[in-house]
Amino acid sequence: MHYKTGMFVYALAFLLGVVFVQQLVVLPALSSFVTLLLSLFFLYLLLINCKYCLTYKPQITLILLIILLILLGILYSSFYAKQQLSYRFDEAFIGKNLLISGFVSSIPVTNEKAQRFEFIITKPGILRTDGTPVEQMIAAQKMPRKIRLSWYYGRPVHAGEKWQLEVRLKPPRGFMNPGSFDYEAWLFQHGIDATGYVRKSSLNQVQYQHQPDNSPISVAAYMVPVNKIRQLLSQKIDAIAVKTVVSNQLVSEQTSSFALIKALAVGDKSSISKQQWQVLRNTGTSHLMAISGLHIGLAAFFAYVLIRWLVPVFIMKRIPAQHIALSGGLMVALLYAMVAGLSIPTQRAIIMLCVLSVMMLLRRNYRPLDALGFALLLVLLFDPLAVLSVGFWFSFSAVAVIFITLNTNHGNINLEIDRQKKKFRHDSVDVFGIVWFKMCSVLKQWIRLQILITLFLLPLSLFMFQQTSLVSPIANLLLIPYVSFLVVPLVLVAIVFSFFMPGIADFLFGLAAGLLDLIWPLLNWFAMQPYSLWVKGDVDTIKLLLVTSAILLFYFSGKLSHIIASRVFVTSAPQFNQLQSIWMFRFIAVLLFSSLFITTKETFGAGEYKLTVLDVGQGSAAVIQTQNHVMVFDAGAKYSDKFDIGSSVVLPYLRSQGIQSLDYLIISHGDSDHIGGANAILDALPDTPVIGQGIEKLTNSKKQYCVEGDKWQWDGVDFTFISPLTKEVLQGGSITKSEQRNNQSCVLRVNSKAGSVLFAADIEKTTEQQLLSRYGKQLAADVLIVPHHGSKTSSTVDFIAAVDPEISIFSVGYKNKFKHPNKNVMLRYEKQGGTLLQTDKSGALTISLSSKTGRTIEKYRETARRYWHHTGD
């Protein structure tokens, strides 16, 4: 049995090289790889042209070719990454006022305080200390191409507008925590070389079209008029939503479907609420509200059907209708992708669609997986950083599953249809029977496909998100046809009518939103089911590969057994041998799949515990785990209705550790950088008891104030509050000033035979002195969470001397506006001795306290570092 190696295998080899580079801490030197590549290439040429070579020449040349493609993937992606990094913002300009010119390259996202938008720089420069511009340009290698800006209380900006702005920038920087979204990777993949904000300045002004245009020739420059149209469509949908509220006297939540329509129309997901995203995630239907392969393919399909129906006969005599329809469908798909902002998922979808269209136009026989392989290769050549995107893996995996299942099922269905035709040949209801059978076959195949996609993508979902939706097969079974064949066509037609019949467009957008309103209660019901989500946070790369191999082995056990039976077993008992081999493969598959249920959760002995101080920027959040209990101390800040530390950092960390419940959530006090993410945690884990200060507004029935002397013990670890002194002071309404709130913070001491930790929250000098007078040397602790982020109002010399920490942790934000930690405070801790750590430099800090192994420190920014992560101070 001869198997010809196809494009899919070659594309996978190239993919391996690209993925290898993305695991590196430092990009490799290209010279050594070039030398090795050339050497192997010459060896490959020698082998394929040698007439008297080895017996296994085909196998050896195939292995050599695969190695060459892997090396080529390493070289290409390394070169591409180095080019990307060469535009990264230079640290020498951090804190300096820059005067830049360029244009807005995205639809601005606006809230009551700020506008956020992407900006293409065409002319950079710096300002003198007196505010006058310097004519000298920044060196080209230090000039960012695209930046992400926030403008607080500034003038409204619009997509495509040219501006001169005074800004302050810094290199791309994000939080670094286990299980959390890698913001720096996202910025790197999207070509954003710096982030910053627009300063209040008289130099901020629009540059009108009659002024000289120095815009570079780029995709972003050509997208300027398209982005203007996109913003107009976005504003139009918002206006329809507002009009619906007023005319129907509905609350805004009931018209939130327009946020989903806006996402489907122009790719603007900024209006989708946090609650809507939660419903979509819980039901595994988020992909339906992000313009990607499914929607681009639908646009091409609808255009194909319409054009083929409308093509006149005299044209079909000269050019095949299929060619015209395919070309037209491809053009419509490209236009839809541009209206969606030509985002990375739409770029990937267009490339895949082009490959399939060209192969259909060439009318050559090809294996579907080879077409997928060719599309994969083109996507990687166009953008090797696409592998950093979760959507890349899900989209190609889903398409591969579709090709595999359709390819294996298509022949069986055709045979069954022929059988039905023979059965009903002389029957009066012949046609009805065949049509009914086809409908049932399509329905069965659709159900089977949804189950298989969910099963095949289950390990990938657990690996990427630490959770997967268990109701997604049913939800997608209903929602994909509903959205694809009812909602999306209306949105596409509405976009077209927006340019010349706005009244009809308004009606169609409203009708599409109404259709989503009809299905949303059912989707919400699915999301609310207690077992809609399976949370499992300990799925690593090895488990991912084992479980994926198990599913493939189980699915292809029949084919593999047939190959083995035809090559190995004799003809005396072929049926028995083949059946035996099938069950052997399935048994092995079950063993491999069972690795998913083997827990790798860290275990602790009595008196042992682990402290994790999370990287949450300018704020505080920490987790303590003992043998059988988990506690969260503070919940970080809330930056907007859609982004807070609780949902974006704390909960992902808990999931990554396999933690599904909390014994306590402690909120030290009511400042926003400590309590901001608390409600998100309580929404996800509603049975969690809360202890703290300033907790009156938290949505939880199990609340109590912290007070000195309250204590408990978990697994040989003692927890004791040593401040504030009384409850009465806290329950009064007079505590409004920041200093008073800080000094009434909950101060917690954790102690066991393995070591001690002191959570000092935001206490200042007054409370420090009170603690010294009451406890003195009893304040001593091995680990100190430094009070008030290292502010100059805290950490007196006497307090530091009394605590005498071996490890002092500053929970601070990178280049924060408060300039924490204060330099003088840092000097005090340095003089006392011990290790000083900062979350902005180290990422999440994990300290394991054990009486056997002592104290170990893990810095997540070091252990999880990749070459694109910013390493500067």
Side-chain angles (χ1 to χ4, degrees), residues 1-4 552-553 555-570 574 577-582 584-585:
M1 186 176 185
H2 178 69
Y3 177 79
K4 183 181 178 182
L552 289 170
L553 188 61
Y555 186 79
F556 289 108
S557 58
K559 281 194 172 183
L560 289 171
S561 64
H562 176 72
I563 294 171
I564 292 176
S566 61
R567 290 192 174 189
V568 179
F569 294 117
V570 295
N577 287 331
Q578 187 169 349
L579 184 62
Q580 188 179 44
S581 61
I582 287 174
M584 178 189 69
F585 283 126

Side-chain angles (χ1 to χ4, degrees), residues 79-97:
F79 177 78
Y80 188 94
K82 285 187 176 182
Q83 288 295 107
Q84 289 282 94
L85 289 174
S86 67
Y87 293 100
R88 182 156 286 188
F89 185 67
D90 195 321
E91 286 192 26
F93 296 98
I94 294 177
K96 294 185 177 179
N97 298 336

Side-chain angles (χ1 to χ4, degrees), residues 390 393-394 397-398 401 450-470 472 534-554 589 592-597:
V390 172
W393 296 100
F394 276 95
S397 298
V401 173
Q450 286 303 316
I451 294 172
L452 286 174
I453 287 177
T454 301
L455 183 62
F456 272 93
L457 297 187
L458 181 144
L460 184 61
S461 180
L462 291 175
F463 177 73
M464 293 288 187
F465 304 119
Q466 304 98 43
Q467 60 184 21
T468 190
S469 173
L470 298 180
S472 63
W534 179 23
V535 179
K536 186 170 180 59
D538 57 352
V539 178
D540 54 17
T541 306
I542 295 175
K543 283 187 179 180
L544 170 67
L545 295 176
L546 287 175
V547 176
T548 303
S549 301
I551 296 171
L552 289 170
L553 188 61
F554 195 94
L592 293 175
F593 194 87
S594 64
S595 65
L596 186 63
F597 301 95

